Amino acid sequence: MQDIDMVQIGRRIKELRLFKNWTQTVLAQKLGVAQNTLSQYEKGTAKTSIDIIVKLAHELETTTDYLLCGDQ
C-alpha cells in the first residue's frame, strides 16, 4: 500500500481546475467548502475526506484513481 501524497493530489486538483478555467472560489462553492480550504487542498497542507475526493472527481470530470494516484 502506498502513502497518499497530498502535494501531488493538490497539484492534480489545481491542474484540472485551471483546465476548466475555474477560480478556487468557483470550485470551492461547487464542493461546499471555503475557498481557503480548497487552497489548502491544492497546496497539500490539508487532507481531504473521501466525500470531497468523490465530489472533486465528479466536478472535475475525472476519476478518484487519477486524483489519488495519477492513474488514468
Side-chain angles (χ1 to χ4, degrees):
M1 180 176 212
Q2 71 186 56
D3 290 331
I4 295 175
D5 185 342
M6 294 309 298
V7 173
Q8 282 299 107
I9 292 170
R11 286 182 186 144
R12 291 183 197 110
I13 293 168
K14 184 175 181 178
E15 171 189 302
L16 292 167
R17 176 181 60 78
L18 292 175
F19 181 77
K20 289 187 158 289
N21 293 314
W22 288 347
T23 63
Q24 284 184 341
T25 302
V26 168
L27 181 54
Q29 288 173 345
K30 290 177 179 292
L31 299 173
V33 301
Q35 179 273 325
N36 65 333
T37 301
L38 179 60
S39 175
Q40 292 173 356
Y41 295 160
E42 288 187 359
K43 291 176 187 173
T45 58
K47 291 187 177 183
T48 64
S49 68
I50 294 297
D51 289 342
I52 294 295
I53 291 291
V54 171
K55 286 180 183 180
L56 280 162
H58 175 76
E59 294 297 338
L60 296 171
E61 299 179 51
T62 191
T63 64
T64 55
D65 283 349
Y66 177 72
L67 290 175
L68 295 172
C69 307
D71 296 336
Q72 296 270 348

